[in-house]
mmCIF file of all heavy atoms in Angstrom:
data_model
loop_
_atom_site.group_PDB
_atom_site.id
_atom_site.type_symbol
_atom_site.label_atom_id
_atom_site.label_comp_id
_atom_site.label_asym_id
_atom_site.label_seq_id
_atom_site.Cartn_x
_atom_site.Cartn_y
_atom_site.Cartn_z
ATOM 1 N N VAL A 1032 0.889 14.645 -7.814
ATOM 2 C CA VAL A 1032 -0.465 14.791 -8.368
ATOM 3 C C VAL A 1032 -1.412 15.254 -7.252
ATOM 4 O O VAL A 1032 -1.807 14.460 -6.399
ATOM 5 C CB VAL A 1032 -0.963 13.447 -8.968
ATOM 6 C CG1 VAL A 1032 -2.384 13.608 -9.519
ATOM 7 C CG2 VAL A 1032 -0.015 12.948 -10.052
ATOM 8 N N PRO A 1033 -1.777 16.546 -7.236
ATOM 9 C CA PRO A 1033 -2.728 17.024 -6.231
ATOM 10 C C PRO A 1033 -4.159 16.627 -6.627
ATOM 11 O O PRO A 1033 -4.541 16.790 -7.792
ATOM 12 C CB PRO A 1033 -2.596 18.556 -6.293
ATOM 13 C CG PRO A 1033 -1.395 18.828 -7.135
ATOM 14 C CD PRO A 1033 -1.235 17.655 -8.039
ATOM 15 N N THR A 1034 -4.929 16.097 -5.676
ATOM 16 C CA THR A 1034 -6.321 15.713 -5.974
ATOM 17 C C THR A 1034 -7.200 16.021 -4.762
ATOM 18 O O THR A 1034 -6.706 16.297 -3.675
ATOM 19 C CB THR A 1034 -6.478 14.198 -6.258
ATOM 20 O OG1 THR A 1034 -6.509 13.478 -5.009
ATOM 21 C CG2 THR A 1034 -5.370 13.652 -7.128
ATOM 22 N N MET A 1035 -8.511 15.897 -4.994
ATOM 23 C CA MET A 1035 -9.451 15.958 -3.875
ATOM 24 C C MET A 1035 -10.028 14.563 -3.621
ATOM 25 O O MET A 1035 -11.085 14.430 -3.000
ATOM 26 C CB MET A 1035 -10.567 16.968 -4.168
ATOM 27 C CG MET A 1035 -10.011 18.386 -4.344
ATOM 28 S SD MET A 1035 -11.182 19.691 -3.951
ATOM 29 C CE MET A 1035 -12.462 19.366 -5.119
ATOM 30 N N GLY A 1036 -9.339 13.517 -4.094
ATOM 31 C CA GLY A 1036 -9.805 12.155 -3.861
ATOM 32 C C GLY A 1036 -10.964 11.777 -4.764
ATOM 33 O O GLY A 1036 -11.180 12.419 -5.789
ATOM 34 N N HIS A 1042 -7.460 10.736 -12.785
ATOM 35 C CA HIS A 1042 -6.389 10.932 -11.793
ATOM 36 C C HIS A 1042 -5.295 9.881 -11.979
ATOM 37 O O HIS A 1042 -4.106 10.183 -11.859
ATOM 38 C CB HIS A 1042 -6.936 10.776 -10.364
ATOM 39 C CG HIS A 1042 -8.015 11.747 -10.009
ATOM 40 N ND1 HIS A 1042 -9.319 11.379 -9.853
ATOM 41 C CD2 HIS A 1042 -7.960 13.084 -9.755
ATOM 42 C CE1 HIS A 1042 -10.040 12.437 -9.508
ATOM 43 N NE2 HIS A 1042 -9.250 13.489 -9.445
ATOM 44 N N SER A 1059 -1.645 13.866 -3.457
ATOM 45 C CA SER A 1059 -2.295 14.424 -2.264
ATOM 46 C C SER A 1059 -3.805 14.257 -2.405
ATOM 47 O O SER A 1059 -4.355 14.321 -3.510
ATOM 48 C CB SER A 1059 -1.933 15.895 -2.046
ATOM 49 O OG SER A 1059 -2.444 16.687 -3.079
ATOM 50 N N PHE A 1061 -7.054 15.872 -0.586
ATOM 51 C CA PHE A 1061 -7.526 16.879 0.367
ATOM 52 C C PHE A 1061 -8.709 17.611 -0.249
ATOM 53 O O PHE A 1061 -8.562 18.261 -1.294
ATOM 54 C CB PHE A 1061 -6.391 17.871 0.693
ATOM 55 C CG PHE A 1061 -6.809 18.967 1.638
ATOM 56 C CD1 PHE A 1061 -7.181 18.667 2.948
ATOM 57 C CD2 PHE A 1061 -6.828 20.298 1.229
ATOM 58 C CE1 PHE A 1061 -7.585 19.686 3.830
ATOM 59 C CE2 PHE A 1061 -7.228 21.316 2.097
ATOM 60 C CZ PHE A 1061 -7.607 20.999 3.404
ATOM 61 N N VAL A 1062 -9.875 17.461 0.355
ATOM 62 C CA VAL A 1062 -11.050 18.195 -0.131
ATOM 63 C C VAL A 1062 -10.949 19.587 0.491
ATOM 64 O O VAL A 1062 -11.140 19.769 1.695
ATOM 65 C CB VAL A 1062 -12.367 17.479 0.255
ATOM 66 C CG1 VAL A 1062 -13.555 18.212 -0.380
ATOM 67 C CG2 VAL A 1062 -12.350 16.024 -0.208
ATOM 68 N N ASN A 1063 -10.593 20.531 -0.360
ATOM 69 C CA ASN A 1063 -10.171 21.863 0.096
ATOM 70 C C ASN A 1063 -11.373 22.775 0.361
ATOM 71 O O ASN A 1063 -11.990 23.277 -0.584
ATOM 72 C CB ASN A 1063 -9.278 22.463 -1.001
ATOM 73 C CG ASN A 1063 -8.915 23.909 -0.739
ATOM 74 O OD1 ASN A 1063 -8.795 24.314 0.419
ATOM 75 N ND2 ASN A 1063 -8.744 24.672 -1.802
ATOM 76 N N GLN A 1066 -12.106 26.219 -1.584
ATOM 77 C CA GLN A 1066 -12.530 26.394 -2.968
ATOM 78 C C GLN A 1066 -14.018 26.111 -3.186
ATOM 79 O O GLN A 1066 -14.483 26.045 -4.319
ATOM 80 C CB GLN A 1066 -11.647 25.588 -3.924
ATOM 81 C CG GLN A 1066 -11.767 24.089 -3.830
ATOM 82 C CD GLN A 1066 -10.683 23.392 -4.637
ATOM 83 O OE1 GLN A 1066 -9.517 23.390 -4.255
ATOM 84 N NE2 GLN A 1066 -11.049 22.805 -5.762
ATOM 85 N N TYR A 1076 -19.286 16.237 -1.230
ATOM 86 C CA TYR A 1076 -18.241 15.810 -2.163
ATOM 87 C C TYR A 1076 -17.777 14.398 -1.790
ATOM 88 O O TYR A 1076 -17.495 14.116 -0.626
ATOM 89 C CB TYR A 1076 -17.062 16.796 -2.130
ATOM 90 C CG TYR A 1076 -16.186 16.659 -3.344
ATOM 91 C CD1 TYR A 1076 -16.493 17.331 -4.517
ATOM 92 C CD2 TYR A 1076 -15.088 15.813 -3.337
ATOM 93 C CE1 TYR A 1076 -15.716 17.176 -5.656
ATOM 94 C CE2 TYR A 1076 -14.305 15.648 -4.470
ATOM 95 C CZ TYR A 1076 -14.629 16.334 -5.623
ATOM 96 O OH TYR A 1076 -13.856 16.169 -6.745
ATOM 97 N N PHE A 1129 -13.651 30.685 -6.142
ATOM 98 C CA PHE A 1129 -13.027 29.398 -6.467
ATOM 99 C C PHE A 1129 -11.505 29.475 -6.665
ATOM 100 O O PHE A 1129 -10.745 28.730 -6.040
ATOM 101 C CB PHE A 1129 -13.719 28.813 -7.713
ATOM 102 C CG PHE A 1129 -13.128 27.543 -8.220
ATOM 103 C CD1 PHE A 1129 -13.171 26.387 -7.456
ATOM 104 C CD2 PHE A 1129 -12.522 27.478 -9.467
ATOM 105 C CE1 PHE A 1129 -12.626 25.198 -7.918
ATOM 106 C CE2 PHE A 1129 -11.978 26.289 -9.943
ATOM 107 C CZ PHE A 1129 -12.032 25.156 -9.168
ATOM 108 N N GLY A 1132 -9.252 30.031 -3.667
ATOM 109 C CA GLY A 1132 -9.172 28.797 -2.880
ATOM 110 C C GLY A 1132 -8.210 27.789 -3.504
ATOM 111 O O GLY A 1132 -7.372 27.195 -2.824
ATOM 112 N N VAL A 1133 -8.322 27.636 -4.815
ATOM 113 C CA VAL A 1133 -7.440 26.698 -5.517
ATOM 114 C C VAL A 1133 -5.995 27.195 -5.459
ATOM 115 O O VAL A 1133 -5.067 26.435 -5.138
ATOM 116 C CB VAL A 1133 -7.880 26.508 -7.000
ATOM 117 C CG1 VAL A 1133 -6.808 25.785 -7.808
ATOM 118 C CG2 VAL A 1133 -9.199 25.765 -7.078
ATOM 119 N N ALA A 1134 -5.799 28.484 -5.758
ATOM 120 C CA ALA A 1134 -4.430 29.025 -5.825
ATOM 121 C C ALA A 1134 -3.759 28.934 -4.452
ATOM 122 O O ALA A 1134 -2.570 28.615 -4.347
ATOM 123 C CB ALA A 1134 -4.456 30.466 -6.319
ATOM 124 N N VAL A 1136 -4.429 26.745 -1.928
ATOM 125 C CA VAL A 1136 -4.096 25.367 -1.541
ATOM 126 C C VAL A 1136 -2.990 24.802 -2.430
ATOM 127 O O VAL A 1136 -2.086 24.115 -1.955
ATOM 128 C CB VAL A 1136 -5.353 24.450 -1.528
ATOM 129 C CG1 VAL A 1136 -5.739 23.964 -2.901
ATOM 130 C CG2 VAL A 1136 -5.137 23.275 -0.591
ATOM 131 N N VAL A 1137 -3.039 25.115 -3.728
ATOM 132 C CA VAL A 1137 -2.032 24.544 -4.632
ATOM 133 C C VAL A 1137 -0.653 25.134 -4.324
ATOM 134 O O VAL A 1137 0.349 24.417 -4.310
ATOM 135 C CB VAL A 1137 -2.433 24.728 -6.120
ATOM 136 C CG1 VAL A 1137 -1.284 24.383 -7.053
ATOM 137 C CG2 VAL A 1137 -3.649 23.861 -6.447
ATOM 138 N N LEU A 1140 0.515 23.400 -1.220
ATOM 139 C CA LEU A 1140 0.869 22.000 -1.511
ATOM 140 C C LEU A 1140 2.185 21.912 -2.294
ATOM 141 O O LEU A 1140 3.055 21.097 -1.975
ATOM 142 C CB LEU A 1140 -0.250 21.318 -2.305
ATOM 143 C CG LEU A 1140 -1.506 20.933 -1.518
ATOM 144 C CD1 LEU A 1140 -2.639 20.554 -2.462
ATOM 145 C CD2 LEU A 1140 -1.215 19.787 -0.539
ATOM 146 N N PHE A 1151 -1.513 18.185 -13.695
ATOM 147 C CA PHE A 1151 -2.905 18.627 -13.576
ATOM 148 C C PHE A 1151 -3.636 18.302 -14.874
ATOM 149 O O PHE A 1151 -3.055 18.404 -15.963
ATOM 150 C CB PHE A 1151 -2.960 20.148 -13.346
ATOM 151 C CG PHE A 1151 -2.344 20.586 -12.046
ATOM 152 C CD1 PHE A 1151 -0.977 20.832 -11.954
ATOM 153 C CD2 PHE A 1151 -3.123 20.739 -10.901
ATOM 154 C CE1 PHE A 1151 -0.388 21.227 -10.752
ATOM 155 C CE2 PHE A 1151 -2.549 21.145 -9.693
ATOM 156 C CZ PHE A 1151 -1.182 21.381 -9.627
ATOM 157 N N GLY A 1152 -4.946 17.970 -14.750
ATOM 158 C CA GLY A 1152 -5.726 17.618 -15.937
ATOM 159 C C GLY A 1152 -6.173 18.854 -16.699
ATOM 160 O O GLY A 1152 -6.486 19.895 -16.109
ATOM 161 N N ASP A 1155 -9.874 20.753 -16.251
ATOM 162 C CA ASP A 1155 -10.020 22.055 -15.593
ATOM 163 C C ASP A 1155 -9.019 23.000 -16.259
ATOM 164 O O ASP A 1155 -7.989 23.344 -15.682
ATOM 165 C CB ASP A 1155 -9.734 21.923 -14.094
ATOM 166 C CG ASP A 1155 -10.751 21.046 -13.414
ATOM 167 O OD1 ASP A 1155 -11.849 21.526 -13.133
ATOM 168 O OD2 ASP A 1155 -10.461 19.849 -13.207
ATOM 169 N N GLN A 1158 -8.244 26.338 -14.567
ATOM 170 C CA GLN A 1158 -7.466 26.066 -13.346
ATOM 171 C C GLN A 1158 -5.996 25.826 -13.697
ATOM 172 O O GLN A 1158 -5.089 26.341 -13.040
ATOM 173 C CB GLN A 1158 -8.052 24.846 -12.636
ATOM 174 C CG GLN A 1158 -7.160 24.294 -11.524
ATOM 175 C CD GLN A 1158 -7.815 23.158 -10.762
ATOM 176 O OE1 GLN A 1158 -8.616 23.395 -9.886
ATOM 177 N NE2 GLN A 1158 -7.459 21.923 -11.068
ATOM 178 N N ILE A 1162 -2.810 27.957 -12.388
ATOM 179 C CA ILE A 1162 -1.689 27.335 -11.660
ATOM 180 C C ILE A 1162 -0.363 27.588 -12.378
ATOM 181 O O ILE A 1162 0.659 27.885 -11.744
ATOM 182 C CB ILE A 1162 -1.971 25.834 -11.449
ATOM 183 C CG1 ILE A 1162 -3.149 25.680 -10.476
ATOM 184 C CG2 ILE A 1162 -0.734 25.101 -10.937
ATOM 185 C CD1 ILE A 1162 -3.759 24.298 -10.414
ATOM 186 N N SER A 1191 -15.143 13.425 -10.798
ATOM 187 C CA SER A 1191 -15.664 12.850 -9.552
ATOM 188 C C SER A 1191 -17.134 13.219 -9.399
ATOM 189 O O SER A 1191 -17.911 12.489 -8.793
ATOM 190 C CB SER A 1191 -14.878 13.348 -8.350
ATOM 191 O OG SER A 1191 -13.503 13.127 -8.569
HETATM 192 O O1 LIG B 1302 -8.619 19.872 -9.510
HETATM 193 C C1 LIG B 1302 -8.724 19.561 -8.299
HETATM 194 O O2 LIG B 1302 -9.030 18.415 -7.939
HETATM 195 C C2 LIG B 1302 -8.498 20.627 -7.234
HETATM 196 O O3 LIG B 1302 -8.971 21.869 -7.651
HETATM 197 C C3 LIG B 1302 -7.025 20.718 -6.763
HETATM 198 C C4 LIG B 1302 -6.106 21.150 -7.899
HETATM 199 C C5 LIG B 1302 -6.578 19.380 -6.226
HETATM 200 C C6 LIG B 1302 -6.914 21.768 -5.648
HETATM 201 O O4 LIG B 1302 -7.705 21.437 -4.543
#
Side-chain angles (χ1 to χ4, degrees):
V1032 179
T1034 80
M1035 298 206 299
H1042 300 109
S1059 66
F1061 178 65
V1062 185
N1063 173 31
Q1066 68 190 72
Y1076 198 85
F1129 176 65
V1133 168
V1136 81
V1137 169
L1140 285 168
F1151 295 86
D1155 295 281
Q1158 168 175 279
I1162 292 166
S1191 307

